[in-house]
Amino acid sequence: MCGAELSALPEGVQRVAKALQDKGHPHSPLMLDDAARTAQQAADALGIHVGQIAKSIIFRRKADDAAVLVITSGDRRVDEKKVDAIVGKTGRADAEFVKSKTGFSIGGVSPIAHAQAPVTLIDRELFRFEEIWAAAGHPHGVFKLKPQDLERLTGAPVADVVQAS
């Protein structure tokens, strides 16, 4: 992407595109015609299995008010007790907290390019797939990657953080 293409994108998508570009990621964000605020909407728009959507779920760590980002497979539910065992007691994060800590609105939270670096965990269930897709900073924005790319892009550990299926 060149500078002119980037400036036509929403601000959050511009941040994600720049972060991907800076880290040498081969895929730029795509803008979908319809919003993909849920994993199912994104999967339907892309014609893929819902599990291939890397959902970014934000929690609020109670000890220090830090944002905790759990990147999980779209067909799985986060087990908060497992997350708490790794990072300390967490609670729900409201839309205002998510926006202030990440710079993104709920429904478009990217796993990268946050306003403040979150504590991040990657769901091991994502590694069932060769190719996954993540939000790119806007409800219409997504980008393609491999699960291994998440480790490289975020520096986060892979963990068992979901409920048993």
Side-chain angles (χ1 to χ4, degrees):
M1 279 196 159
C2 69
E5 289 171 322
L6 278 179
S7 64
L9 296 170
E11 188 274 330
V13 181
Q14 288 181 43
R15 280 199 340 259
V16 171
K18 181 165 180 1
L20 291 171
Q21 196 172 47
D22 290 350
K23 294 192 179 210
H25 188 70
H27 305 288
S28 298
L30 301 174
M31 295 301 287
L32 302 172
D33 291 336
D34 295 319
R37 293 181 192 280
T38 69
Q40 189 62 62
Q41 288 172 335
D44 290 348
L46 293 164
I48 60 174
H49 185 275
V50 71
Q52 290 177 267
I53 299 299
K55 296 188 295 191
S56 293
I57 310 293
I58 301 288
F59 295 94
R60 181 191 299 238
R61 187 162 60 189
K62 293 187 175 183
D64 58 3
D65 216 34
V68 175
L69 167 63
V70 179
I71 309 165
T72 187
S73 185
D75 62 352
R76 299 292 192 254
R77 291 189 57 85
V78 173
D79 185 327
E80 292 178 49
K81 289 180 179 148
K82 289 180 178 180
V83 172
D84 289 357
I86 298 168
V87 303
K89 188 75 176 142
T90 61
R92 295 279 177 202
D94 64 17
E96 184 179 323
F97 178 85
V98 172
K99 181 73 172 175
S100 71
K101 295 289 186 174
T102 69
F104 305 119
S105 296
I106 292 174
V109 177
S110 175
I112 62 168
H114 288 231
Q116 298 174 33
V119 175
T120 304
L121 299 172
I122 300 168
D123 170 18
R124 69 182 184 183
E125 293 293 316
L126 284 164
F127 289 78
R128 294 174 293 154
F129 303 100
E130 175 70 24
E131 176 183 288
I132 59 174
W133 289 77
H138 185 276
H140 289 258
V142 294
F143 68 97
K144 182 168 61 170
L145 68 165
K146 294 181 183 331
Q148 298 81 0
D149 294 333
L150 273 178
E151 290 179 282
R152 182 178 60 79
L153 292 167
T154 65
V158 175
D160 174 9
V161 292
V162 296
Q163 296 172 0
S165 51

